[in-house]
Amino acid sequence: MCRVDTNWSCFGTPAVILENKVLKLAVLPEYGAKIIDILYKPADTHLLWLNPRNKPGKIPFGALYDDNFNGGWDELFPTDIPCKINGEMYSDHGELWAVPHRGEAVGADKADLD
């Protein structure tokens, strides 16, 4: 079972917490659905690095990924390096990491972790 909690904010934007008995994830939907934290609960260990000098924030579409990387885990779709496919240019690290996302918790238990 997984608990979903949408009553959080982090770095000035709404955050979604996904949690079960083993893991706790923090996701920033408006910042490309960036996963900013994965906590491995049995060892009380955070598995992702965050740059203390470069906080997550809104990124202009088409921006260079490396210039804006601040740690965490970003989506890389549909490409890695900027490239042209069938005559269409795709941006650095794809199109998903720099655009807001929306979602809905369906069938998630908001109360307990059993």
Side-chain angles (χ1 to χ4, degrees), residues 67-91:
D67 291 347
N68 293 283
F69 179 67
N70 44 43
W73 185 343
D74 293 294
E75 182 54 60
L76 191 73
F77 184 82
T79 184
D80 180 5
I81 60 172
C83 62
K84 190 178 276 191
I85 301 173
N86 295 329
E88 185 170 342
M89 192 67 191
Y90 288 88
S91 59

Side-chain angles (χ1 to χ4, degrees), residues 2-9 15-19 23-27:
C2 177
R3 181 174 66 183
V4 178
D5 190 346
T6 59
N7 297 312
W8 288 86
S9 66
V16 176
I17 305 299
L18 307 168
E19 184 175 10
L23 295 173
K24 182 177 181 181
L25 281 72
V27 181

Side-chain angles (χ1 to χ4, degrees), residues 23-97:
L23 295 173
K24 182 177 181 181
L25 281 72
V27 181
L28 303 178
E30 291 185 12
Y31 295 170
K34 172 187 275 298
I35 300 172
I36 60 159
D37 190 31
I38 299 175
L39 172 65
Y40 180 62
K41 294 163 93 173
D44 194 29
T45 301
H46 295 271
L47 302 177
L48 298 179
W49 173 81
L50 286 177
N51 186 338
R53 294 180 304 258
N54 184 11
K55 305 291 185 206
K58 290 187 179 180
I59 306 296
F61 184 77
L64 296 175
Y65 181 81
D66 289 343
D67 291 347
N68 293 283
F69 179 67
N70 44 43
W73 185 343
D74 293 294
E75 182 54 60
L76 191 73
F77 184 82
T79 184
D80 180 5
I81 60 172
C83 62
K84 190 178 276 191
I85 301 173
N86 295 329
E88 185 170 342
M89 192 67 191
Y90 288 88
S91 59
D92 185 11
H93 278 64
E95 300 175 334
L96 297 181
W97 71 276

